[in-house]
C-alpha cells in the first residue's frame, strides 16, 4: 500500500510520500552505524537527560501529537492525548531505572571474581503498527536508547506523519542524528534492512503473518527478535463481580482505540448465573456509544483506520452468522463517508468453530456462556493466542485459579489489561515471544557478557 496519510474520518488522501531510494536507505544505515559507535560510549546520565527532555516534549506538545494520531488513524482525540502523555511516562521510567536495570551483576558461588555486564547490541530495527502510533514506538526506543543501542523505525504506511514527528522529537530532545531514524520504506524492503550486516536485531508488533515472516528471516540470520502479535483476550465474568461496574469496564475494554487493540478484550466469557443480566446491560451500553468524528470530545468510537479493516470485519461477521452466531446489536458498516463500523455484539457462537478462534479488530464483541469456572477457563484457553486475559471476581480462590491457569502473557484481576512501563509486556502461543517494557524490555537487546577474573 502507498505511504500516505488517508484521513479515515473522510476517506480523503491528504498527503503521499515517496519511499526511500536505495542510496538514501544505505545512507541512513551508515549514519546509524556512526551514531551507535558514539552513542554506546555515552554515560547513563547523559542518556537519561535526553530521555527526560523527550518526556517534556511529549507532555508539552501532547495536543499537537494527538491531532496527528486522530488525523492519520482515527483515534478519538481524548485517547490520543492520553497516549502522548503515556509516552512521557515510559521515557521517565527508563531515565530513572535504566542504569540500575543494566548494572553489573555479581555472581554468587562462582569460582574467581565473576560478574555479568550488559552491553548494547547495536542497531535495532522496529517494524511498528498504526494502532498506537506513538506508544508502540516509544516502548521500544526509550529502553533501546537508554541501553546504548540506536533505532530504525519502519512505521505503518498509513501513519507517515507520526513517524516523522517521532524522529524530530528525539532529535530535539538532544539525541544526535542517527540515534533514531524514521525509514519511509515499503513492506517489501523490510527484509533487506534485516539482512543488512549493520542491523543487529529486530522487533515487530503486528499480525501473525508479518511476525512469522520476520521471525523466519531473523532466525535464518541468527539475529534476536521480539514479536508482539495478535490477541483475542478473554474477559471472564463470575457471579461475585459487581455487575454494573464490570459491564462498564467491559465496554471500555472492547471499544478502546475504536476496538483496534491487540490487548482489547474480545471474548466475553460470562458465568451462566449472571449471563442474562450481563448481556442486557452490555447491549444497552453498546447502543449508547457515540460513533462519529474522532476530533470531537464526546465521541466514543471513531472510524477504523483503513477501508480494508471495514471489509475484513464485514466478512468475518458474515462467516460467524453462517456458523450460527446471532447479532445482538450492530453488525454492519455505518453509511456515509469514512471507515465507520457499528458497535457490535455477537452471541450464540459455536465454541468449536473456527470463527470463535479469530481476532476481530474493531468494535465487535463475542459473548460466550460458561456453566462454571472450569468451563470459563477452558473456553478462554481455547485460542491460538495468548496475549492478555482478565478475570472479574471477588472470590480469592477464583482469582488465584485465573492467575495460575489462564494461558497468557499477562493476567489482570478486576482490571482491564493494559501496558505500563514497569510491567514486562508480551505474549505466548501465536501472540509472539520476547518481552517489551520493564527490566525485560531493556535487556531484550543487550549482550549479557559473563566476565571471569582469578580470585
Amino acid at each position: 500500500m502507498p505511504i500516505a496519510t488517508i484521513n479515515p474520518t473522510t476517506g480523503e488522501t491528504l498527503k503521499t510520500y515517496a519511499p526511500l531510494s536505495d542510496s538514501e536507505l544505505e545512507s541512513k544505515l551508515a549514519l546509524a552505524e556512526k551514531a551507535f559507535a558514539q552513542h554506546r560510549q555515552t554515560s547513563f546520565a547523559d542518556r537519561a537527560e535526553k530521555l527526560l527532555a523527550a518526556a517534556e516534549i511529549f507532555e508539552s506538545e501532547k495536543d499537537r501529537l494527538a491531532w496527528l494520531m486522530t488525523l492519520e488513524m482515527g483515534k478519538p482525540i481524548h485517547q490520543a492525548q492520553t497516549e502522548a502523555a503515556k509516552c512521557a511516562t515510559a521515557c521517565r521510567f527508563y531515565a530513572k531505572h535504566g542504569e540500575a536495570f543494566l548494572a553489573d551483576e555479581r555472581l554468587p558461588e562462582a569460582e574467581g571474581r565473576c560478574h555479568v555486564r550488559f552491553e548494547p547490541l547495536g542497531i535495532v530495527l522496529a517494524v511498528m503498527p498504526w494502532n498506537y502510533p506513538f506508544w508502540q514506538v516509544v516502548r521500544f526506543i526509550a529502553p533501546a536508547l537508554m541501553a546504548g543501542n540506536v533505532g530504525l523505525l519502519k512505521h505503518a504506511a498509513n501513519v507517515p506523519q507520526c513517524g516523522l514527528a517521532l524522529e524530530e522529537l528525539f532529535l530535539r530532545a538532544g539525541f544526535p542524528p542517527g540515534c533514531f531514524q524514521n525509514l519511509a520504506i515499503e513492506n517489501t524492503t523490510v527484509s533487506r534492512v534485516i539482512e543488512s550486516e549493520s542491523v543487529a536485531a529486530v522487533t515487530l508488533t503486528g499480525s501473525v503473518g508479518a511476525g512469522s515472516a520476520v521471525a523466519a528471516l531473523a532466525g535464518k540470520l541468527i539475529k534476536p527478535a521480539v514479536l508482539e502479535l495478535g490477541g483475542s483476550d478473554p474477559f471472564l465474568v463470575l457471579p461475585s463481580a459487581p455487575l454494573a461496574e464490570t459491564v462498564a469496564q467491559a465496554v471500555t475494554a472492547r471499544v478502546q482505540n475504536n476496538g483496534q487493540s491487540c490487548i482489547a478484550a474480545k471474548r466475553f466469557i460470562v458465568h451462566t448465573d449472571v449471563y442474562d443480566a450481563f448481556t442486557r446491560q452490555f447491549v444497552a451500553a453498546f447502543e449508547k456509544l457515540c460513533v462519529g468524528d474522532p476530533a470531537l470530545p464526546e465521541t466514543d468510537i471513531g472510524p477504523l483506520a483503513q477501508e480494508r479493516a471495514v471489509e475484513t470485519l464485514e466478512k468475518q461477521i458474515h462467516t460467524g452468522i453462517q456458523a450460527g452466531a446471532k447479532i445482538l446489536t450492530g453488525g454492519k458498516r455505518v453509511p456515509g463517508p469514512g471507515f465507520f463500523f457499528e458497535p457490535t455484539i455477537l452471541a450464540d457462537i459455536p465454541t468449536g468453530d473456527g470463527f470463535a478462534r479469530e481476532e476481530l479488530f474493531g468494535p465487535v464483541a463475542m459473548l460466550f456462556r460458561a456453566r462454571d469456572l472450569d468451563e470459563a477457563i477452558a473456553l478462554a484457553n481455547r485460542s491460538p493466542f495468548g496475549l492478555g486475559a482478565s478475570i472479574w471476581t471477588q472470590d480469592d480462590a477464583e482469582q488465584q485459579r485465573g492467575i495460575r491457569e489462564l494461558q497468557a502473557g499477562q493476567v489482570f484481576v478486576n482490571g482491564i489489561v493494559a501496558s505500563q512501563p514497569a510491567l514486562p509486556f508480551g505474549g505466548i502461543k501465536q501472540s509472539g515471544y520476547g518481552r517489551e517494557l520493564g527490566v525485560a524490555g531493556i535487556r531484550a537487546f543487550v549482550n549479557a557478557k559473563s566476565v571471569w577474573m582469578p580470585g
Side-chain angles (χ1 to χ4, degrees):
M1 62 180 297
I3 302 172
T5 299
I6 301 173
N7 185 347
T9 303
T10 64
E12 179 186 5
T13 299
L14 302 178
K15 194 170 184 180
T16 59
Y17 295 82
L20 294 174
S21 66
D22 290 348
S23 62
E24 288 171 330
L25 178 58
E26 290 303 319
S27 294
K28 286 184 174 289
L29 289 168
L31 181 59
E33 286 186 336
K34 180 181 177 181
F36 174 61
Q38 297 172 346
H39 183 62
R40 69 179 303 175
Q41 303 298 330
T42 59
S43 67
F44 285 114
D46 178 73
R47 301 169 199 168
E49 181 181 0
K50 292 177 172 61
L51 280 180
L52 291 174
E56 290 297 321
I57 298 172
F58 275 116
E59 283 191 339
S60 64
E61 301 182 17
K62 68 177 183 179
D63 290 344
R64 177 181 70 88
L65 301 175
W67 171 243
L68 284 179
M69 291 183 255
T70 299
L71 178 69
E72 291 202 302
M73 54 78 51
K75 189 185 299 288
I77 190 66
H78 58 283
Q79 295 179 29
Q81 291 164 342
T82 299
E83 178 173 336
K86 188 175 182 178
C87 292
T89 68
C91 291
R92 290 199 175 101
F93 177 81
Y94 283 108
K96 180 179 180 180
H97 299 290
E99 182 173 5
F101 287 162
L102 298 178
D104 291 354
E105 286 188 353
R106 301 296 168 181
L107 302 177
E109 300 185 21
E111 296 181 3
R113 290 180 293 133
C114 305
H115 68 276
V116 176
R117 58 181 285 120
F118 299 97
E119 299 177 345
L121 291 181
I123 302 171
V124 182
L125 170 67
V127 182
M128 292 287 109
W130 45 261
N131 56 337
Y132 291 92
F134 283 87
W135 172 242
Q136 294 276 10
V137 177
V138 168
R139 71 192 201 190
F140 136 73
I141 194 59
L145 289 172
M146 192 63 190
N149 294 304
V150 300
L152 297 173
L153 169 64
K154 191 285 177 201
H155 220 327
N158 60 322
V159 289
Q161 294 187 56
C162 290
L164 291 168
L166 281 162
E167 179 178 359
E168 180 206 24
L169 188 152
F170 281 94
L171 278 170
R172 289 169 55 200
F175 287 100
C179 282
F180 177 54
Q181 298 180 82
N182 176 65
L183 303 182
I185 58 175
E186 297 171 313
N187 291 341
T188 53
T189 308
V190 170
S191 60
R192 283 180 46 207
V193 180
I194 298 174
E195 290 168 348
S196 169
E197 292 186 4
S198 302
V199 173
V202 59
T203 179
L204 176 142
T205 299
S207 68
V208 174
S212 178
V214 164
L217 182 56
K220 177 182 176 181
L221 298 168
I222 322 297
K223 294 186 179 184
V226 170
L227 305 177
E228 195 265 282
L229 309 178
S232 186
D233 287 10
F235 186 110
L236 279 63
V237 181
L238 298 168
S240 64
L243 193 60
E245 177 185 342
T246 303
V247 168
Q249 294 296 312
V251 174
T252 300
R254 175 62 284 221
V255 303
Q256 61 180 325
N257 204 40
N258 305 334
Q260 300 167 124
S261 173
C262 295
I263 56 169
K266 300 185 177 78
R267 295 179 295 137
F268 296 83
I269 302 170
V270 184
H271 192 286
T272 188
D273 289 352
V274 291
Y275 180 90
D276 291 339
F278 178 92
T279 299
R280 285 194 300 271
Q281 294 185 32
F282 197 41
V283 170
F286 258 53
E287 292 178 343
K288 291 179 182 177
L289 291 168
C290 177
V291 180
D293 186 346
L296 299 177
E298 65 268 22
T299 295
D300 297 307
I301 301 177
L304 300 189
Q306 298 168 309
E307 174 79 25
R308 65 182 181 183
V310 176
E311 295 170 352
T312 297
L313 269 186
E314 288 176 325
K315 292 176 182 177
Q316 288 178 306
I317 289 174
H318 178 70
T319 299
I321 292 171
Q322 286 187 318
K326 177 183 177 183
I327 295 176
L328 301 185
T329 187
K332 60 184 182 297
R333 180 176 189 153
V334 176
F339 311 140
F340 294 89
F341 202 90
E342 294 178 339
T344 301
I345 298 174
L346 301 174
D348 299 338
I349 302 163
T351 57
D353 186 77
F355 174 70
R357 297 165 57 86
E358 292 186 16
E359 178 182 24
L360 302 179
F361 219 60
V364 181
M366 293 192 286
L367 194 56
F368 299 88
R369 185 193 297 264
R371 291 187 303 270
D372 50 32
L373 181 57
D374 289 341
E375 185 176 34
I377 291 175
L379 281 171
N381 292 339
R382 194 178 300 162
S383 170
F385 300 107
L387 190 54
S390 64
I391 181 168
W392 299 76
T393 173
Q394 300 301 308
D395 184 284
D396 182 68
E398 292 176 341
Q399 293 174 2
Q400 293 305 314
R401 278 200 63 193
I403 292 168
R404 289 194 310 270
E405 298 180 25
L406 288 169
Q407 298 171 1
Q410 44 263 311
V411 174
F412 279 54
V413 177
N414 297 326
I416 296 172
V417 177
S419 59
Q420 51 183 277
L423 282 178
F425 182 88
I428 60 174
K429 299 193 279 188
Q430 289 190 22
S431 290
Y433 53 75
R435 291 295 181 267
E436 301 173 296
L437 300 175
V439 64
I442 200 170
R443 290 186 177 182
F445 298 120
V446 296
N447 173 24
K449 180 186 286 184
S450 295
V451 178
W452 181 93
M453 295 181 289

